[in-house]
Amino acid sequence: MGVTHLVNHVYDPFRSDFESLDELADRISQVLECPVTIEDANHRLLAYSTHDERTDSARISTI
């Protein structure tokens, strides 16, 4: 079994289509295990992941 064969079976959490940037933010958040905010080059909010009870209030209030 070659390395190429093994690479083809590695789980890729981004190997799917996303309906929205919010879905992409949620997937990134799942992989990193932390809240995610997606901004443009001018720091305008484009999307953010869902948050849970561990998310700090300062972060929630700025979204």
Side-chain angles (χ1 to χ4, degrees):
M1 185 180 315
V3 173
T4 304
H5 179 75
L6 291 174
V7 171
N8 290 335
H9 288 41
V10 172
Y11 173 67
D12 182 356
F14 301 103
R15 189 173 201 109
S16 64
D17 294 328
F18 298 97
E19 298 280 326
S20 68
L21 282 177
D22 288 325
E23 284 185 20
L24 176 60
D26 280 337
R27 182 65 54 88
I28 295 169
S29 176
Q30 290 170 354
V31 170
L32 297 178
E33 297 180 355
C34 65
V36 171
T37 303
I38 300 175
E39 300 174 346
D40 67 10
N42 295 313
H43 305 287
R44 289 180 294 218
L45 178 67
L46 300 177
Y48 55 89
S49 62
T50 54
H51 51 271
D52 59 23
E53 66 280 349
R54 295 175 297 159
T55 306
D56 62 282
S57 58
R59 178 174 178 77
I60 293 170
S61 67
T62 59
I63 295 178

